[in-house]
Amino acid sequence: MKPPMTQETPAVRFGIVLLPNFTLTAFSGLVDMLRLASDEGDKSRPLRCSWKIVGESLAPVRASCGIQIAPWETFGSPSQFDYIVVVGGLLHSGPEPGKATLDFIRAAGQTEATLVGVCTGTFALTRAGVMSGHRICVSWFHYWDFLDQFPTTDPDLLLADRLYVIDRRRITCSGGRASIDVGAAILMRHIDPSIVQKALRILQVDEPHKANAPQPHPPGLAPSAHPKIKRAILLMEQHLSAALTVDELAGKLDMSVRQLERLFKSETGSTPQAYAKAMRMRVAAWMLTHSDKTVSAIASSCGFSDASHMGREFRHAFGVSPGAYRAGGATQAAGADYSELFPSRTEFY
């Protein structure tokens, strides 16, 4: 932990790279955090920290909402920055990061700078090859997109149950409002915490979320549910095809099995095992009516040993066979609407 900044301490230097169709909220939350903590009052002078928007050219970069922001400088030496922040957004619209951008990220990975991936900026860091051996945080919404693009990723290093992850000189953030939390966490390393807290208050944020705070609560779960139960359900959702054992789930949450089972029962009225099985059944039912995959393929995707195993569980849950459920034209089993949550997706690993 670095000491609080004094008047003689150099400003903390940030280089910000905006990818095509970046998310404006993720960018503005971070940069306003830097701006408000950098100066007294409302003068916005880059005193305690400085920031530059850099890019392949000075041509404006379009945000996903249509607003355009022009880089201030073209890429130079990444060693001029203490932190290099890559802000992403839409994955399937517009151009991919260019060669010059990926080369700049690779060069930055060879310096003492800390690389920060915000929203799908994490995808660009991974594509540039600078995340090997590091834990990676992505949004629950892009978890399976990440596995599609980077299928060799170690699943134990890919996290979508929390807001952000700090792993040595790599910081990855799920995006949205969490960029404010990341900005605050970074600045706490260098600036008096009272100054950071004041900046948060100006942004109408009572307290920054810690890194292990859960991403937004899954459908069907009360917003007031315990944070570890929210994370547990997110983890279940992300391991449909290879269900975590209760021991594995408890380990990922830094809890004992007994603690997890008691807390899960009090928060949901169910055991972790029963909740996970019900989730797999809902997804299987949704896939039967939203894809042309065979029952065997759906069984595999949803973590059942085979089609017969899924058939037995399906009849117990819904009173009909998977084939009859599909033929009957059912539209949605009780629970989340996966068409809305994951448009066009029919694969859940």
Side-chain angles (χ1 to χ4, degrees):
M1 180 70 69
K2 296 185 179 180
M5 186 175 177
T6 66
Q7 289 186 340
E8 292 75 28
T9 305
V12 189
R13 304 163 300 171
F14 291 82
I16 302 175
V17 180
L18 301 177
L19 300 181
N21 289 307
F22 68 94
T23 304
L24 192 60
T25 301
F27 165 67
S28 60
L30 174 72
V31 79
D32 260 353
M33 189 68 232
L34 303 183
R35 177 183 69 85
L36 292 166
S38 182
D39 195 9
E40 299 295 339
D42 197 25
K43 298 177 183 177
S44 300
R45 295 173 298 177
L47 300 181
R48 298 187 182 99
C49 59
S50 64
W51 54 95
K52 293 180 181 178
I53 303 173
V54 296
E56 296 186 11
S57 73
L58 300 183
V61 183
R62 183 185 183 278
S64 56
C65 65
I67 290 174
Q68 299 186 59
I69 297 179
W72 304 354
E73 298 179 2
T74 56
F75 293 137
S77 171
S79 60
Q80 66 182 295
F81 301 113
D82 301 299
Y83 293 87
I84 294 173
V85 184
V86 182
V87 185
L90 297 184
L91 281 180
H92 308 298
S93 178
E96 295 289 334
K99 180 179 183 299
T101 297
L102 296 178
D103 286 345
F104 179 74
I105 295 171
R106 292 187 190 102
Q110 301 300 314
T111 71
E112 293 298 311
T114 295
L115 291 173
V116 184
V118 178
C119 195
T120 60
T122 300
F123 284 63
L125 298 187
T126 305
R127 193 172 302 284
V130 298
M131 294 303 298
S132 178
H134 291 80
R135 291 178 299 152
I136 301 170
C137 178
V138 297
S139 163
W140 64 268
F141 187 71
H142 291 305
Y143 179 83
W144 287 292
D145 291 315
F146 193 95
L147 289 176
D148 283 343
Q149 293 196 23
F150 308 105
T152 60
T153 300
D154 182 344
D156 289 332
L157 296 179
L158 184 61
L159 307 173
D161 63 318
R162 61 196 72 189
L163 293 178
Y164 63 95
V165 167
I166 300 175
D167 188 350
R168 293 159 286 169
R169 291 204 298 273
R170 302 290 184 268
I171 301 175
T172 48
C173 166
S174 56
R177 173 246 141 103
S179 65
I180 296 176
D181 302 314
V182 164
I186 292 172
L187 291 173
M188 288 282 192
R189 297 173 163 186
H190 306 279
I191 296 175
D192 190 305
S194 65
I195 295 172
V196 180
Q197 289 290 348
K198 180 181 177 182
L200 287 165
R201 288 184 62 201
I202 295 172
L203 289 172
Q204 304 297 324
V205 176
D206 284 330
E207 290 288 338
H209 289 130
K210 296 186 182 300
N212 63 355
Q215 292 187 27
H217 65 91
L221 190 68
S224 59
H226 193 283
K228 291 209 173 185
I229 297 307
K230 294 179 185 179
R231 284 183 53 201
I233 293 172
L234 286 166
L235 285 165
M236 290 175 182
E237 188 177 68
Q238 292 147 21
H239 292 81
L240 282 171
S241 65
L244 298 171
T245 66
V246 179
D247 288 299
E248 290 170 331
L249 188 61
K252 288 180 177 292
L253 297 168
D254 297 318
M255 304 174 72
S256 70
V257 170
R258 187 176 180 83
Q259 287 174 320
L260 174 61
E261 290 179 334
R262 283 182 171 178
L263 184 59
F264 211 98
K265 186 74 172 179
S266 69
E267 293 287 313
T268 70
S270 176
T271 65
Q273 298 96 321
Y275 197 101
K277 184 167 77 172
M279 180 184 292
R280 296 199 306 274
M281 296 309 309
R282 289 195 300 271
V283 176
W286 178 85
M287 292 180 74
L288 283 167
T289 56
H290 289 79
S291 78
D292 57 3
K293 295 168 72 72
T294 66
V295 173
S296 293
I298 292 173
S300 177
S301 293
C302 294
F304 297 99
S305 57
D306 53 34
S308 296
H309 179 206
M310 177 177 140
R312 290 192 299 272
E313 297 290 352
F314 204 93
R315 288 186 184 88
H316 184 264
F318 301 117
V320 296
S321 69
Y325 185 91
R326 171 176 271 171
T331 56
Q332 179 65 42
D337 180 355
Y338 290 90
S339 295
E340 176 65 25
L341 288 175
F342 305 105
S344 302
R345 176 161 292 282
T346 59
E347 294 286 354
F348 298 89
Y349 297 86

